[in-house]
Amino acid sequence: MNRILSWALAAATAACISCRSTAIEPQTVMLLPDSIHYLDTDRQIFVIGGDTVRLSFRMPDSVRSGPLQERDYEEVAEQLGVEVAAMKAVVEIEAGKSHRGFWTEGKPIINFDLPVFRKMAARHKVNLSKYTKTHPAVFSRPSIAKYGSQQAAVQARLDQAMDIDSISAIEGTFWGMFQIGGFNWRQCGTSSPQEFVRLMSRSERDQLDLFAEFISRAGLLPALKKKNWAAFARGYNGPAYASRGYHRRLAAAYNKYK
């Protein structure tokens, strides 16, 4: 990453020198997290001699894409010491029988959760009351009629929430084929909410790797290894898991794939 930024900065400097008679020492301006759109983490701003230069470039690892293959499950299962069927059981409960991590290219399956968004906004001292009229989609049910599909409608809610506060919006959304809450970005081993979403938006294999990191750090790996569905469900789905039959559905899905 540092090499790429150095290259970009050098390119910006060269561009400036080519149009000026004297070289000017560049200075990188770091943006606040909320100033960077969650899918534009490959964009940097440089100030060179008072001129603002915006550079866009793609990370080299952006070529990683496509649906999960059986070998992906097998590799991660071996690393974790769990059965492939156990991981597939979680996917089926969270993403459905299609096992999809994306609803369209570059857009992961998401579930924007308004109560969680409110909680995260309060934590970040963001007053949401002044946005109810200017960002109505955030505070309303997803409109399939308006946006064409459930996921497109949920995406519209997230996009408007991002305009209010990107960190709260990311943390108030559940992401990918494993529906991991954005507030767990640290437990997924990522350095920032933006990196969490970048990986969630890159490939299903990245979503699988984030899941593996999450259950390891959250202490859920032993339960998944033992197929202790009640213990796993309690930690993964919350204390109300039993009322939703989450553990029984996990067990049934596991029996289907084992």
Side-chain angles (χ1 to χ4, degrees):
M1 180 66 177
N2 290 334
R3 290 196 300 271
I4 296 172
L5 290 180
S6 298
W7 169 85
L9 184 55
T13 305
C16 180
I17 294 173
S18 67
C19 63
R20 294 174 182 267
S21 58
T22 57
I24 301 171
E25 182 178 355
Q27 177 184 0
T28 302
V29 177
M30 299 304 295
L31 301 180
L32 294 175
D34 197 47
S35 299
I36 307 176
H37 192 277
Y38 69 105
L39 292 181
D40 286 338
T41 53
D42 57 354
R43 184 171 62 188
Q44 294 288 328
I45 288 180
F46 300 90
V47 176
I48 303 176
D51 294 330
T52 300
V53 179
R54 184 185 299 275
L55 297 180
S56 294
F57 52 92
R58 289 291 170 190
M59 301 297 293
D61 55 12
S62 64
V63 297
R64 189 180 198 181
S65 61
L68 274 178
Q69 305 296 319
E70 190 66 20
R71 65 177 179 272
D72 294 311
Y73 279 114
E74 292 170 353
E75 287 174 2
V76 176
E78 183 177 1
Q79 292 168 9
L80 294 177
V82 303
E83 293 180 48
V84 168
M87 293 192 299
K88 287 185 175 180
V90 180
V91 174
E92 179 143 328
I93 302 307
E94 295 295 341
K97 294 180 180 180
S98 67
H99 288 203
R100 290 190 307 161
F102 292 82
W103 65 276
T104 191
E105 186 175 356
K107 300 287 187 180
I109 298 290
I110 55 172
N111 177 24
F112 175 79
D113 191 309
L114 182 56
V116 179
F117 174 61
R118 290 185 185 278
K119 181 179 179 180
M120 296 300 109
R123 180 178 297 177
H124 297 298
K125 304 189 184 308
V126 177
N127 181 7
L128 295 180
S129 61
K130 62 182 180 179
Y131 296 103
T132 55
K133 292 183 178 180
T134 57
H135 296 70
V138 174
F139 306 96
S140 307
R141 289 183 177 276
S143 175
I144 298 176
K146 181 176 181 179
Y147 295 101
S149 71
Q150 175 70 18
Q151 275 298 299
V154 174
Q155 185 69 53
R157 295 186 81 190
L158 175 59
D159 290 344
Q160 285 201 10
M162 292 290 298
D163 287 339
I164 297 173
D165 184 70
S166 65
I167 305 302
S168 300
I170 291 170
E171 294 178 342
T173 300
F174 293 83
W175 299 84
M177 62 200 311
F178 293 93
Q179 287 292 281
I180 299 175
F183 51 85
N184 288 313
W185 58 267
R186 289 184 181 87
Q187 285 190 297
C188 289
T190 57
S191 60
S192 68
Q194 288 87 356
E195 184 191 8
F196 171 82
V197 178
R198 182 180 71 82
L199 295 176
M200 277 289 180
S201 304
R202 191 174 69 170
S203 73
E204 290 183 353
R205 175 56 191 261
D206 284 292
Q207 294 180 10
L208 177 59
D209 288 339
L210 290 170
F211 166 76
E213 190 71 33
F214 171 69
I215 63 172
S216 299
R217 292 181 180 231
L220 298 176
L221 185 55
L224 193 61
K225 285 182 177 181
K226 297 176 182 178
K227 277 81 70 179
N228 184 340
W229 300 119
F232 182 83
R234 184 182 298 109
Y236 199 83
N237 194 247
Y241 76 93
S243 64
R244 294 188 284 268
Y246 191 89
H247 57 312
R248 291 191 296 272
R249 289 187 288 139
L250 278 173
Y254 166 75
N255 289 330
K256 173 182 174 180
Y257 291 107
K258 73 177 180 178

